Amino acid sequence: MPLPETRRSLFAADALLPAGWARNVLLEWDANGQLSAVTSDSSPGLNTPRAGGPVLPGMPNLHSHAFQRAFGGLTEFRGAAQDSFWSWRTLMYRFAAKISPAQVEAIATWLYVEMLEAGYTSVCEFHYLHHDADGNAYADDAELALALLRAARRSGIGITLLPVLYQTSGFGALPPSEGQRRFIRSTDSMLRLLERLHPLCKSQGARLGLAPHSLRAVPPDALGEALAGLDAIDATAPVHIHIAEQTGEVDACLAWSGQRPVAWLLDHAAVDARWCLVHATHMDPDEYRRAAASGAIAGLCPTTEANLGDGIFDFSSWRAAGGRWGIGSDSHACVNAAEELLMLEYGQRLATRQRNVGADAAHREVATALTLGAVQGGAQAAGRAIAGLAAGEQADFVVLDPSHVALQGLAAPEMLSSHVFASHRTSAVHGVWVAGQARVSATRHDLHDEGAAAFVAARSQLLAKD
Ligand code: NGQ
Ligand code: ZN
């Protein structure tokens, strides 16, 4: 439904534009929710609505496995003598084995409501739960992909859907394990799925891409065929891959090919700005340099990487090499854009024994520099026009609450700093708009209560099944 003319503008005393903070900014957008003009130092018309606080660009969330939200907080106990990413994965597979389509939809809907309330306005959904509990295709092979698209539509979040190609359990085409049976697809069946989803995504303003799960899960021939098939459908579609998250993967890749995973990928695929290298935690100096030069995004998921004990990405090396990056909430141990930036910066401080690592030459406030960097990179990874408050981009933005105790009495750049570094796990996000429509008002999404109840019911069913 097109918005009336008067509802398609907003005046902000302070707004964070791609070049930095600006004053007296008039945002105007068209009936499709695309910004038509962003004018600084303007004066508002009598009827122009005014933002109640500083306006930030909406944050793209570049990596999500929605179903994993159901067991957030439920893997935090010692199982093995030494728990690791791999023992967590065994627990995760147990949840993945029994989840139903209705449960996926309820969990994803609530998760996307949480994302919006936390300042994320779009999500890249890395979707690999394709089949039923026995590993057979559903009567409609796109059943679970459609559930995710519906969840996005209902919540109002923008989505890049990334169906995942998963074929093997390890390098050298090791056969998949029982726990992976719901993920497995032939390359042909993946391409048929993409062909089916492409027009559906388009009609809801979503973007379709492809995610080879990892080099562990996709043999070289299948990788090449899938990428060629994707190009035939959309030659600019995003490509995301998990890579070098764990030293175990690096060791296995070296044993298999004599090369580290990122080096192998750069030598065997045309990695460019369409690509998002999710995690890319363990790279040597040459890989940092080469991967950054490829134009690919480093998909950083700081709270999940901390939760899973992955290791710490060398952010300074990446940026020194000109690397672009964005943030994702991945396993959703935490769903909060500000806290993701906090964790990124703190990891760097702990590793380097320095402060304000994320600041850059243009922006000395860390929160400002990180927000702008993550929005730019996240938009590129999403393959959607969501790169911040500029004409031609979608009107996705967040309004902070200047009456929040953490923010009161501060100037706008300090408010953002305080929101990221000192809001003490409360949120100062007050309003959230996607494509020019208010989705969160006075901190709440319309579906908040209903979505939370459906999520809790789905989780209770899943836990009762044990
Ligand atoms: C995933 N999650 O696909 O959900 C992975 C674990 C794997 C993260 N990497 C599975 N955070 O890598 O095999
Ligand atoms: Zn992941």
Side-chain angles (χ1 to χ4, degrees), residues 40 75 103 105 212 236 239 268 284 297 300 400 406 465:
S40 308
T75 58
Q103 288 162 347
E105 188 165 344
T236 62
V239 180
H268 292 87
D284 69 16
I297 297 297
L300 308 179
L400 293 182
K465 270 201 184 174

Side-chain angles (χ1 to χ4, degrees), residues 63-65 68 88 126 128 213 242 245 278-279 301 304 308 330-331:
H63 192 63
S64 164
H65 308 286
Q68 293 182 11
W88 168 83
F126 199 103
Y128 59 83
H213 179 276
H242 289 131
E245 179 181 11
V278 182
H279 310 301
C301 306
T304 291
L308 298 180
D330 190 351
S331 67

Side-chain angles (χ1 to χ4, degrees), residues 19 39 103 121 165 195 197 207 223 249 285 311 350 384 413 463:
T39 317
Q103 288 162 347
T121 43
L165 190 63
E195 274 161 14
L197 291 172
R207 188 85 199 254
L223 180 64
E249 174 180 319
L350 288 164
R384 300 178 63 242
L463 293 173

Side-chain angles (χ1 to χ4, degrees), residues 183-196:
F183 321 159
I184 305 305
R185 263 185 192 283
S186 69
T187 309
D188 276 352
S189 105
M190 172 55 73
L191 294 176
R192 282 197 301 274
L193 179 70
L194 294 179
E195 274 161 14
R196 162 107 195 273

Side-chain angles (χ1 to χ4, degrees), residues 361-383:
H363 311 286
R364 62 189 214 127
E365 288 96 1
V366 179
T368 295
L370 291 181
T371 299
L372 290 173
V375 168
Q376 280 289 324
Q380 182 180 315

Side-chain angles (χ1 to χ4, degrees), residues 313-326:
F313 182 82
D314 182 348
F315 193 58
S316 299
S317 291
W318 182 252
R319 290 205 310 176
R324 300 178 207 165
W325 61 281

